[in-house]
Every structure is written in structure tokens, then in C-alpha cells.
Amino acid sequence: MRVSSLFGAMALVASLLGVTASSIQAIQLADGTVSFEKPPRLVKATTTYNQADISGATYYFTIELPENAGEPLQKVTINQRQGFDDIRFDLDDSRAFEGTPRNKGERLTLAAVTKDDETQTISVTFDPPVTPGKTITVGLRPRRNPWTGGVYLFGVTAFPAGEKPYGLYLGVGRLHFYDNDRDFPSDS
């Protein structure tokens, strides 16, 4: 189902269930659950270093929050979904800013960066929440790039501000790491 059809259907069901719309046109269900009017979009995932088994990299996840999102962005979660090695992060060295990695803007204040060890999900909470109409980037610092090269996939979910936010899955950020020469025989 296309995203626009999904939101149209959600609006119809919401109206039948007694949904109220605030002055900024967010979707709020009768039970208090809040959702975005127009969904944020995962623009890109990149890394500063794509060589396996090195330190000093930053993984960037760029998200566009449309002007008509209806609610500010409170939290983003990032979960490694595929890859041979489990990547460990230095959560204290996380960052977020307006713009993209190549065009950094104002730094955003993070209320918390936490990890759920059971689900291997990192949560980045903004304080204050990010207002609609901005493109932001979250930067996570791994302790080291994975030992084993290959494709690593990270699921990204966005949550609006509110006591009962409905998380919206934005898609997969894909990072490809390349093995260094240790795995290849020489030609001599």
C-alpha cells in the first residue's frame, strides 16, 4: 500500500473512531496516541569510513521532517537489522544537527541517547523536539567498524512529540563496509 493511501485510510479510520485534530493538524487517536500528519523521510545513511575494522568513523542518518508533518520530531530509533558483526557504539559521542553531513547547520540538543540491550535499539531523544520543515542528521560513533565487511542494514523509526507517540518506520539505512587487504592473497 502506498504511504499516501495508508495515511488516507488512517485518517478515515481515525474519524470513525473519534480522532481529534489539534490546531497543527496532527493525528491524535481517542486513546491519546499521536502520529505525524505527513511522514518524515529517511533521506540517506552514510559513513565517514567504509573500511572494515577501523576506528574513528561516524555513521550519519539524515531525516527530512516536512513542513506539514503536524507534530515535531521527539525521538529517532536506530536498530541494526543485518550484518555479520554486531556493531557497538560509543553513545556518549552521539550527535545531531540540522542539515546534512556535507552541509552541517545548527547543533541539536540531545536529551538522551540510550540502548535497549534486548532489542539492540539505539534511541536518540531531542530536547527540544525538532520543529517541522527541517532536515536533520543523527551521527552515531561506533567503537570500531565491523570486523567483517559486507552490507549492514539499520532500521530507522521516527516518533512525534507527545505522551503516547506512534512510531513511524522510515525504512532501512544501508552501509557497505569493505575488507582491507588482510583477506586477499597477494599476486606475487
Side-chain angles (χ1 to χ4, degrees), residues 1-8 10 27 33-43 62-66 68-79 81 121-122 154-161 164-173:
M1 178 180 278
R2 296 184 63 200
V3 173
S4 60
S5 299
L6 177 65
F7 278 99
M10 200 165 130
I27 296 174
T33 301
V34 176
S35 183
F36 294 107
E37 176 74 17
K38 296 292 180 192
R41 183 173 72 96
L42 177 63
V43 176
T62 301
I63 298 166
E64 183 179 85
L65 185 61
N68 56 353
E71 281 291 330
L73 176 65
Q74 179 72 64
K75 178 172 76 170
V76 171
T77 62
I78 300 169
N79 172 267
R81 295 181 172 235
T121 300
I122 295 172
F154 298 86
V156 179
T157 304
F159 294 83
K164 288 183 74 176
Y166 178 78
L168 187 61
Y169 182 67
L170 305 183
V172 172

Side-chain angles (χ1 to χ4, degrees), residues 18-116:
V19 170
T20 60
S22 71
S23 62
I24 57 174
Q25 301 195 5
I27 296 174
Q28 183 172 1
L29 301 177
D31 69 354
T33 301
V34 176
S35 183
F36 294 107
E37 176 74 17
K38 296 292 180 192
R41 183 173 72 96
L42 177 63
V43 176
K44 190 173 189 179
T46 60
T47 179
T48 53
Y49 299 112
N50 61 2
Q51 183 179 354
D53 192 36
I54 63 166
S55 58
T58 302
Y59 303 168
Y60 290 117
F61 300 88
T62 301
I63 298 166
E64 183 179 85
L65 185 61
E67 189 72 44
N68 56 353
E71 281 291 330
L73 176 65
Q74 179 72 64
K75 178 172 76 170
V76 171
T77 62
I78 300 169
N79 172 267
Q80 182 181 335
R81 295 181 172 235
Q82 179 180 308
F84 188 77
D85 300 326
D86 289 332
I87 300 172
R88 296 186 339 200
F89 292 92
D90 182 1
L91 300 182
D92 293 334
D93 204 8
S94 301
R95 60 199 66 175
F97 51 86
E98 289 183 30
T100 65
R102 291 184 181 257
N103 189 18
K104 293 179 184 174
E106 183 178 329
R107 193 171 182 126
L108 301 173
T109 304
L110 302 179
V113 180
T114 59
K115 181 179 178 191
D116 181 325

